[in-house]
Amino acid sequence: MSTSATDGVVRVALLGCGTVGSQVVRLLREHGDDWTARSGAKLELVGIAVRDTATERDPWVPRELLTEDAEELVTRADVVVELIGGIEPARTLVLRALTSGATVVTGNKALLAAHGPELHAAAEAGDADLYYEAAVAGAIPVVYGLRESLAGDKITAVLGIVNGTTNYILDEMATRGLSFETALAQAQELGYAEADPTADVDGHDAAAKAAILASLAFHTRVSIEDVPVTGIRSITAEDMAEARDSGHVIKLLAVARRTVTDGTEGISVRVHPALLPAAHPLAAVHGAFNAVVVEAESAGRLMFYGQGAGGAPTASAVLSDVVAAASHKVHGGHAPRESTYAELPLHGPATTAARSQIKLRLADRPGTLAAVAGVFGEEGVSIDSVRQQRADDGVASITIVSDVATEAALDRTVARLAEEPSVHEVISVTRVEGA
Ligand SMILES: NC(=O)c1ccc[n+]([C@@H]2O[C@H](COP(=O)([O-])OP(=O)(O)OC[C@H]3O[C@@H](n4cnc5c(N)ncnc54)[C@H](O)[C@@H]3O)[C@@H](O)[C@H]2O)c1
Ligand SMILES: N[C@@H](CCO)C(=O)O
Ligand code: NA
């Protein structure tokens, strides 16, 4: 199909008609006239590729448009909306569409974070556009925000709650004292978490989004492989209660920062649970909501907040891309090209700055705290605060918050503490952000 719809009609093919795809069909049918007026293009849904045409669908899904032949459908479209998810066959279909000059709109963060360069190269080769607002934080226009609104600024940091399932779980643990297991079961009942919740609770979904956000913010290719990730399975109700007592909340954060080490600019990109002061704007993000804080040199701090998942909210992001794509098809112009000119190096643990809270159980006798402090001192990690929660049966629970140190120094400190004869157990190590 041609890259410009000279007859003013833009042929849209939908691949996948699940949670998001079905809502895209509904919105196209209900508001197609508006989208036509806004884009100047008549949007015509020419087909919906599904796995099984016999499956029962939402009542607004036109059965005559269903096909099981996605490959053939792609050849008939100006704009291909990929909402299948996963790597294959999504990757092959998207590559085929882009190479042939069709615009692709996708919500597939897993595909983008693993195969971004290949997709962008195919777009370049096909003189085609690739849109992916729905891939990060659902309805929240953070891809547009970074790619276009902030194109005239220098971004220094991006901190986000980009996974609704884990935020829901942590919020239920924090506000209602639930255990991780109970909160997860509740998230599954409500349909937030999948039956296999691995991608959410182990942080992989957030890591894919972190890679996409960091690529956009720092004009550097970042893949999911580059993002060290820690999920939320080990967080306990007790951790939550203690965080609250010290004026904090625990959130799963995607953190991408521009850093300078020995005069060299680089970036660090991480996903991990972190203690945030209760007054931090991200601490007020409850339930399954998402939020992304962007810090930029001139604009200062911005916060994007809203629904990061769900059929209709995510379809809103898809449709915004479809309207933009259709407008370009009719009036000319392109989406912004992938921008990777900065090619900033990724900092590893030896050069990434961090603060940690380390909880220990140690023998309650003279000199043990001094021995622990000695380990910090020898590793060059300064201590910000020490609290002793209780001492019984000759064992004390100690919470130490470090000052900023390198991740490597913090890791070495924790490894040595675990070997200290007076330390019974390193209970937990949690990052501290936003202080
Ligand atoms: N659900 C959300 O809240 C949300 C939010 C943001 C982004 N996304 C992304 O949007 C995409 C779609 O998510 P979803 O929640 O709608 O998933 P879903 O599982 O509900 O829908 C995917 C659909 O694709 C169909 N499918 C699978 N293989 C196919 C094939 N070869 N041809 C045609 N259809 C095929 C499946 O049968 C299913 O109906 C994913 O990439 C997801 O990560 C989803
Ligand atoms: N599983 C994701 C959906 C959106 O990517 C979440 O919980 O946020
Ligand atoms: Na978005």
Side-chain angles (χ1 to χ4, degrees):
M1 190 57 52
S2 69
T3 52
S4 67
T6 47
D7 53 0
V9 176
V10 168
R11 294 154 197 87
V12 179
L14 175 62
L15 313 182
C17 194
T19 306
V20 183
S22 175
Q23 291 299 314
V24 167
V25 176
R26 182 179 66 78
L27 292 172
L28 273 173
R29 290 177 70 91
E30 284 180 12
H31 302 294
D33 291 346
D34 283 320
W35 314 153
T36 293
R38 292 177 198 183
S39 64
K42 175 144 181 47
L43 295 174
E44 187 189 339
L45 184 60
V46 294
I48 305 170
V50 295
R51 217 162 18 192
D52 182 355
T53 52
T55 303
E56 200 172 323
R57 307 273 157 194
D58 287 318
W60 55 80
V61 176
R63 300 205 71 85
E64 66 278 12
L65 292 185
L66 298 179
T67 171
E68 291 174 20
D69 192 347
E71 289 191 17
E72 183 278 329
L73 176 59
V74 163
T75 66
R76 293 192 274 126
D78 302 302
V79 175
V80 172
V81 179
E82 186 275 305
L83 292 167
I84 292 172
I87 305 299
E88 288 296 351
R91 172 178 158 271
T92 301
L93 292 165
V94 164
L95 287 174
R96 196 158 294 171
L98 290 170
T99 312
S100 72
T103 296
V104 168
V105 174
T106 179
N108 194 335
K109 57 249 156 186
L111 179 61
L112 284 160
H115 296 280
E118 185 184 27
L119 304 186
H120 288 293
E124 194 83 39
D127 196 26
D129 288 339
L130 176 60
Y131 287 91
Y132 46 97
E133 185 59 72
V136 186
I140 306 171
V142 68
V143 171
Y144 189 91
L146 291 173
R147 189 153 89 149
E148 309 209 32
S149 309
L150 287 165
D153 211 326
K154 181 169 182 176
I155 293 169
T156 51
V158 181
L159 259 82
I161 293 171
V162 291
N163 183 267
T165 304
T166 46
N167 201 57
Y168 174 84
I169 292 170
L170 293 175
D171 197 37
E172 287 292 291
M173 291 173 71
T175 56
R176 307 206 305 128
L178 300 188
S179 68
F180 169 76
E181 289 75 17
T182 309
L184 170 59
Q186 210 167 281
Q188 284 171 318
E189 258 167 49
L190 288 168
Y192 293 140
E194 302 289 319
D196 175 6
T198 308
D200 292 320
V201 300
D202 291 334
H204 305 303
D205 176 74
K209 293 165 181 169
I212 297 169
L213 288 173
S215 303
L216 289 166
F218 302 121
H219 301 270
T220 292
R221 275 190 180 146
V222 180
S223 119
I224 190 165
E225 307 289 320
D226 300 319
V227 186
V229 48
T230 308
I232 65 163
R233 281 184 204 269
S234 65
I235 308 283
T236 64
E238 195 188 11
D239 293 333
M240 284 295 187
E242 283 173 19
R244 190 184 53 232
D245 291 347
S246 68
H248 291 82
V249 293
I250 300 175
K251 296 289 190 189
L252 182 70
L253 296 186
V255 182
R257 282 209 172 85
R258 189 187 290 272
T259 50
V260 180
T261 307
D262 299 330
T264 307
E265 264 200 342
I267 55 174
S268 74
V269 190
R270 301 283 185 270
V271 168
H272 50 63
L275 284 151
L276 279 177
H280 192 280
L282 291 175
V285 177
H286 296 290
F289 276 79
N290 283 193
V292 180
V293 166
V294 179
E295 288 169 12
E297 206 172 79
S298 305
R301 182 186 269 183
L302 301 125
M303 176 147 149
F304 300 78
Y305 170 85
Q307 298 192 67
T314 307
S316 163
V318 170
L319 262 306
S320 84
D321 284 346
V322 170
V323 169
S327 179
H328 287 315
K329 288 286 180 194
V330 170
H331 301 298
H334 276 291
R337 288 266 178 258
E338 184 195 25
S339 171
T340 59
Y341 74 93
E343 292 181 20
L344 294 172
L346 278 147
H347 283 307
T351 48
T352 294
R355 292 181 70 211
S356 286
Q357 173 193 272
I358 300 163
K359 282 172 34 179
L360 306 168
R361 278 161 28 89
L362 79 167
D364 187 18
R365 56 170 191 266
T368 53
L369 190 54
V372 165
V375 171
F376 277 78
E378 284 161 28
E379 292 301 340
V381 177
S382 180
I383 292 175
D384 179 60
S385 68
V386 182
R387 274 188 310 140
Q388 181 163 330
Q389 281 96 344
R390 60 177 182 273
D392 42 54
D393 300 335
V395 178
S397 292
I398 303 284
T399 301
I400 300 173
V401 178
S402 77
D403 276 331
V404 173
T406 65
E407 286 180 337
L410 286 164
D411 289 348
R412 282 195 306 271
T413 303
V414 171
R416 281 190 54 190
L417 289 172
E419 298 298 316
E420 256 314 289
S422 59
V423 173
H424 289 223
E425 184 191 4
V426 177
I427 303 169
S428 66
V429 180
T430 312
R431 293 286 285 262
V432 180
E433 293 283 347

